[in-house]
């Protein structure tokens, strides 16, 4: 797809907000993904071992090769907008880069912009002390290690963080004992995963329920060496185990570790809200790329699939549906870029509405686009011979991850309902001037 000009991907409305340096880097990201990462996707999966003992013990060598290339090109840690540790791009500029990164399975990790490390690095950048920065942040920024964020719990409605119940009882002044089960801990199966950020209930009796949780920093290797915590299994998502990273179930049985907090005790709720704001948009940015890739895959298939003696791409039904999918993707792209720009201008808290709208609409819209592309392919579309099944899995999972659709719709709806008083006052004035007998 290198024949497509970069301006094809950048809405006219946002061009004035992009620096010359940002534009040049977006171009480099596009080229890197198309020339290096998309061809490497198949190599990556071919290098993955199917032997259980090896599958979770090694990483396809192509990843390190790509990381070195990305570093030399200056395409590294692109997501850290607004921090001195980052390369100095805005959220909007990164969003335009991420739409290309999302097209390839390996591209996010190749550029050190992969989840959950992006969110964890932002937490370390904002809240870590000097020791934590040296021990964990620096190797994460270098791409030397990986991390996991342990929040979701088995049997618990974890979309409401107040329900998190992993027990963390303090022992003395500097240790804590953990009991409970976490799961869907993304990245915890990776052999390079060295640090866990664990959301736990440290002050269960606090009067304010929003001050009962803390984020504990745990050395994953030392913790597992005690035998008191076990990575039980990787959870499969629509049949994918996502090796070597995984979405793991982890059981804590009287694990005693240093009481090493990120920020202060009782600030866990604040930290996860801080982590999820930009993170939700990062996922949506990559989803735009997934939608693009699905559309391109459909065009490629339709260009070579004959139906009753004519190529499918010439059929009116395909042309109509293709147009509808492009409209849908451009719509959510604008929603995502609006949220990114709003974060740049007023911060995540001030962009809550825009973040929620993008988070709700993007995964389901892109999921529908991928579903259509699968249908265009036919049986091949649900096989391992196209990227569509993995793309669909990612889009569907993101309707649950980082807060389910229902939670965001509830938050958005409540915010809109609060406008009722002002709206009623406005129409009362209108009715008074027009002397209408009825308000309805």
């Amino acid at each position: 797809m290198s024949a497509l000009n970069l301006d094809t991907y950048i809405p006219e409305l946002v061009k004035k907000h992009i620096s010359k340096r940002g534009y040049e880097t977006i171009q480099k990201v596009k080229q890197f993904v198309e020339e290096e990462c998309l061809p490497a996707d198949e190599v990556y999966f071919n290098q993955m071992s199917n032997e259980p003992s090896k599958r979770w013990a090694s990483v396809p060598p192509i990843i390190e090769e790509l990381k070195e290339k990305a570093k030399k090109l200056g395409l590294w840690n692109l997501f850290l907008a607004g921090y001195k540790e980052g390369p100095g791009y805005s959220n909007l500029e990164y969003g335009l880069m991420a739409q290309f990164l999302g097209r390839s399975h390996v591209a996010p990790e190749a550029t050190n912009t992969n989840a959950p490390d992006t969110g964890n690095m932002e937490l370390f950048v904002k809240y870590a002390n000097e020791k934590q920065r040296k021990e964990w942040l620096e190797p994460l920024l270098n791409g030397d290690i990986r991390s996991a964020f342990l929040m979701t719990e088995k049997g618990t409605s974890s979309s409401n963080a107040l329900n998190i119940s992993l027990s963390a009882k303090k022992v003395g002044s500097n240790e804590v004992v953990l009991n409970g089960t976490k799961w869907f801990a993304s990245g915890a199966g990776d052999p390079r995963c060295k640090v866990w950020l664990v959301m736990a209930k440290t002050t269960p009796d606090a009067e304010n329920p929003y001050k009962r949780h803390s984020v504990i920093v745990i050395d994953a290797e030392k913790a597992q060496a005690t035998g008191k915590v076990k990575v039980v299994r990787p959870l499969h998502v629509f049949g994918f185990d996502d090796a070597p990273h995984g979405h793991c179930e982890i059981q804590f049985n009287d694990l005693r570790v240093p009481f090493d907090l990120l920020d202060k005790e009782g600030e866990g709720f604040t930290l996860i809200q801080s982590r999820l704001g930009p993170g939700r948009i990062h996922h949506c940015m990559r989803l735009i790329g997934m939608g693009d890739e699905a559309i391109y895959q459909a065009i490629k298939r339709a260009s070579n699939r004959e139906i009753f003696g004519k190529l499918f791409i010439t059929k009116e039904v395909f042309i109509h549906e293709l147009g509808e999918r492009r409209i849908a993707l451009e719509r959510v792209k604008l929603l995502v870029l609006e949220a990114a720009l709003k974060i740049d201008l007023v911060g995540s808290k001030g962009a809550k509405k825009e973040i929620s709208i993008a988070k709700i609409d993007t995964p389901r819209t892109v999921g529908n686009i991928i579903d259509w592309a699968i249908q265009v392919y036919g049986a091949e579309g649900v096989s391992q011979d196209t990227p569509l099944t993995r793309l669909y899995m990612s889009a569907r999972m993101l309707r649950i991850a980082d807060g389910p659709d229902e939670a965001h719709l509830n938050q958005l709806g409540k915010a809109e309902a609060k406008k009722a008083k002002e709206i009623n006052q406005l129409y009362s004035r209108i009715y008074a001037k027009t002397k209408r007998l009825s308000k309805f």
Side-chain angles (χ1 to χ4, degrees):
M1 295 301 165
S2 57
L4 294 178
N5 186 279
L6 179 62
D7 287 339
T8 303
Y9 298 91
I10 303 178
E12 199 66 36
L13 287 169
V14 303
K15 284 184 179 178
K16 65 180 180 180
H17 298 286
I18 303 168
S19 66
K20 180 182 177 183
R21 176 171 172 262
Y23 186 91
E24 290 171 352
T25 304
I26 295 167
Q27 177 69 62
K28 286 169 68 176
V29 170
K30 177 178 182 292
Q31 187 174 350
F32 178 66
V33 169
E34 292 174 345
E35 295 182 4
E36 300 287 351
C37 297
L38 286 170
D41 281 345
E42 186 174 352
V43 176
Y44 176 92
F45 291 115
N46 286 338
Q47 289 179 347
M48 278 293 303
S49 174
N50 288 319
E51 293 182 32
S53 60
K54 296 180 180 179
R55 191 167 176 80
W56 298 94
S58 60
V59 178
I62 189 69
I63 281 292
E64 289 303 320
E65 295 173 25
L66 290 170
K67 284 164 69 174
E68 288 305 311
K69 290 178 180 179
K71 285 181 179 179
K72 288 178 182 177
L73 290 168
L75 305 178
W76 194 252
N77 294 333
L78 302 166
F79 68 98
L80 279 168
Y83 300 109
K84 62 181 177 61
E85 291 85 355
Y89 302 112
S90 66
N91 281 290
L92 177 64
E93 289 169 338
Y94 173 63
L96 292 163
M97 298 172 199
Q99 69 177 314
F100 299 109
L101 299 174
R103 290 179 56 195
S104 162
H105 181 80
V106 299
E109 186 173 355
T111 53
N112 215 38
T113 58
N114 47 287
D117 294 335
T118 48
N120 292 342
M121 282 188 269
E122 285 203 29
L123 280 183
F124 277 123
V125 166
K126 290 181 72 172
Y127 301 106
N129 57 39
E130 285 305 312
K131 182 177 180 297
Q132 291 166 340
R133 293 176 72 90
K134 187 73 177 175
E135 191 170 7
W136 307 119
L137 177 60
E138 288 184 14
L140 279 169
L141 289 171
N142 291 334
D144 297 330
I145 66 171
R146 291 207 62 181
S147 61
F149 191 82
L150 281 60
M151 177 178 166
T152 305
E153 294 183 0
K154 191 173 183 178
T156 300
S157 179
S158 304
S159 58
N160 181 353
L162 298 179
N163 293 332
I164 299 301
S165 59
L166 184 80
S167 171
K169 294 184 178 180
K170 285 173 280 187
V171 179
S173 60
N174 60 359
E175 288 189 315
V176 64
V177 175
L178 301 176
N179 281 286
T181 302
K182 296 285 188 182
W183 69 348
F184 286 98
S186 300
D190 197 304
R192 300 162 299 172
C193 183
K194 305 300 181 186
V195 59
W196 295 340
L197 298 184
V198 182
M199 179 80 159
K201 186 174 280 189
T202 54
T203 50
D205 299 324
E207 185 176 349
N208 184 346
Y210 293 95
K211 297 294 181 181
R212 293 173 184 169
H213 298 83
S214 304
V215 174
I216 304 171
V217 182
I218 294 181
D219 184 317
E221 288 187 327
K222 288 182 179 178
Q224 291 178 82
T226 66
K228 298 292 185 178
V229 62
K230 182 182 179 182
V231 177
V232 180
R233 57 174 178 157
L235 279 302
H236 290 195
V237 180
F238 290 113
F240 292 102
D241 62 8
D242 273 344
H245 312 305
H247 309 284
C248 298
E249 180 177 344
I250 302 176
Q251 194 170 64
F252 295 83
N253 296 298
D254 291 326
L255 175 67
R256 187 165 176 163
V257 293
F259 193 40
D260 186 13
L261 290 180
L262 197 58
D263 199 30
K264 299 184 287 292
E265 188 172 359
E267 293 300 315
F269 193 87
T270 301
L271 265 65
I272 62 163
Q273 289 301 110
S274 169
R275 183 184 188 276
L276 289 176
R280 288 170 177 142
I281 293 303
H282 292 170
H283 280 311
C284 290
M285 292 166 176
R286 288 188 290 268
L287 276 167
I288 301 303
M290 295 179 194
D292 263 329
E293 185 62 21
I295 288 174
Y296 296 154
Q297 288 286 334
I299 292 171
K300 178 166 67 73
R301 174 60 170 155
S303 300
N304 295 280
R305 182 181 183 185
E306 280 195 12
I307 297 178
F308 299 115
K310 286 189 176 182
L311 288 175
F312 193 28
I313 200 167
T314 66
K315 298 279 188 177
E316 187 174 348
V317 64
F318 176 80
I319 292 170
H320 174 85
E321 291 295 328
L322 176 60
E324 291 284 3
R325 267 59 187 188
R326 176 50 66 187
I327 290 170
L329 189 62
E330 291 301 310
R331 182 190 75 243
V332 292
K333 179 192 285 189
L334 288 172
L335 291 176
V336 171
L337 295 179
E338 181 188 22
L341 180 58
K342 191 75 176 283
I343 293 172
D344 287 333
L345 295 174
V346 298
S348 296
K349 192 172 182 180
K352 282 173 67 175
K353 181 184 79 171
E354 290 77 10
I355 291 172
S356 288
I357 292 173
K359 171 63 175 72
I360 294 162
D361 203 20
T362 308
R364 63 188 183 188
T365 297
V366 172
N368 288 335
I369 291 170
I370 299 166
D371 183 75
W372 165 75
I374 290 171
Q375 198 71 14
V376 170
Y377 258 91
E380 186 181 350
V382 296
S383 75
Q384 70 269 43
D385 287 352
T386 78
L388 296 173
T389 48
R390 283 189 173 274
L391 294 178
Y392 183 83
M393 176 271 290
S394 297
R396 186 61 186 87
M397 187 178 184
L398 285 172
R399 291 185 60 194
I400 299 170
D402 292 347
D405 289 359
E406 293 80 3
H408 289 284
L409 281 165
N410 186 55
Q411 177 180 293
L412 180 62
K414 282 182 177 178
E416 289 298 303
K418 286 180 180 178
K419 300 174 184 177
K421 184 178 180 180
E422 292 178 16
I423 290 171
N424 285 322
Q425 288 174 347
L426 169 65
Y427 280 100
S428 292
R429 292 195 297 271
I430 293 171
Y431 296 145
K433 287 183 179 180
T434 57
K435 298 180 180 179
R436 283 185 59 174
L437 297 176
S438 172
K439 293 183 179 181
F440 305 100

